[in-house]
Amino acid sequence: MPEAEDEALRRLPPWRVKPAVFLDRDGVLNEDAGYVHSPDQFVWTENAPEAVKRLNDRGMLVIVLTNQSGIARGYYSEDEFRAFTAWIGEQLAVHGAHVDATYHCPHHPDHGEPPYRCVCDCRKPEAGLIDMALADWSVDLEHSVMIGDSDRDIEAAEARGIKALKFEGVDLLAFLKQNGLV
Ligand SMILES: [Mg+2]
Ligand SMILES: [Zn+2]
């Protein structure tokens, strides 16, 4: 599909505005083993695919917002990150689930080389990743929520007035149920 047409479809008219669940990736969708970037390192948190499917079924947008300073640090490239993101999508599809979009920050203020070594506005707790998502999608912010395992996730959401929940548990589906999201 040509990009412009795709863009038009994604910019839904107001009556198609949807609530979003913004998910941090490492520590929420998958176990945070530190700079996870390949299938052999990837372990779902408990019931994560089912949790995403339930959000899909409720008609909520599922948007992943993830700091990936491993790119700045030279542990993996942006292309490798994108290929890995596609692989995660394939694993979700096995469960009938999908992530609508993933936005990442490849930067770090101190590590690596420019252009990745920089003070950016997208590395959480900055809210730039949220702004990127909001530029692309018609989101009902009032009924949206961020789920993260770090204070940075919470701060980023609160900077845009989005409700934020800290996931410290094990089972993502149980967490969604406890918080009345599914
Ligand atoms: Mg995390
Ligand atoms: Zn950034």
Side-chain angles (χ1 to χ4, degrees):
M1 190 181 292
E3 184 134 41
E5 198 177 324
D6 185 40
E7 180 77 6
L9 279 179
R10 290 199 292 166
R11 288 182 183 280
L12 296 168
W15 60 90
R16 298 281 304 279
V17 167
K18 292 178 175 184
V21 176
F22 298 104
L23 297 175
D24 175 42
R25 197 195 75 181
D26 299 312
V28 174
L29 274 182
N30 56 278
E31 303 288 348
D32 188 352
Y35 308 106
V36 170
H37 63 282
S38 63
D40 59 300
Q41 302 167 321
F42 187 89
V43 180
W44 292 116
T45 54
E46 200 168 315
N47 287 321
E50 178 64 19
V52 173
K53 180 171 170 24
R54 296 287 293 273
L55 294 172
N56 297 149
D57 292 348
R58 286 210 63 183
M60 303 186 83
L61 293 167
V62 178
I63 297 177
V64 173
L65 308 176
T66 178
N67 283 357
Q68 291 292 326
S69 76
I71 295 169
R73 294 167 195 265
Y75 300 158
Y76 44 95
S77 70
E78 208 142 23
D79 281 349
E80 286 171 309
F81 170 78
R82 290 203 176 88
F84 184 49
T85 298
W87 179 86
I88 294 171
E90 289 164 15
Q91 309 314 302
L92 280 173
V94 171
H95 298 269
H98 73 275
V99 162
D100 292 285
T102 296
Y103 297 89
H104 71 285
C105 166
H107 308 114
H108 194 281
D110 306 317
H111 292 283
E113 300 298 331
Y116 293 125
R117 189 187 71 219
C118 68
V119 175
C120 68
D121 65 3
C122 54
R123 180 173 165 80
K124 295 175 284 183
E126 300 300 319
L129 293 179
I130 295 173
D131 295 339
M132 286 181 214
L134 298 182
D136 285 346
W137 299 86
S138 297
V139 176
D140 170 6
L141 274 188
E142 197 182 328
H143 298 103
S144 295
V145 62
M146 160 83 93
I147 300 173
D149 69 324
S150 139
D151 290 340
R152 290 174 186 166
D153 305 313
I154 307 305
E155 280 181 49
E158 290 179 345
R160 290 296 176 269
I162 297 168
K163 181 181 172 186
L165 299 171
K166 195 158 181 183
F167 177 63
E168 291 170 306
V170 185
D171 182 328
L172 188 58
L173 180 59
F175 183 81
L176 295 185
K177 287 179 180 170
Q178 281 157 18
N179 287 284
L181 288 166
V182 299

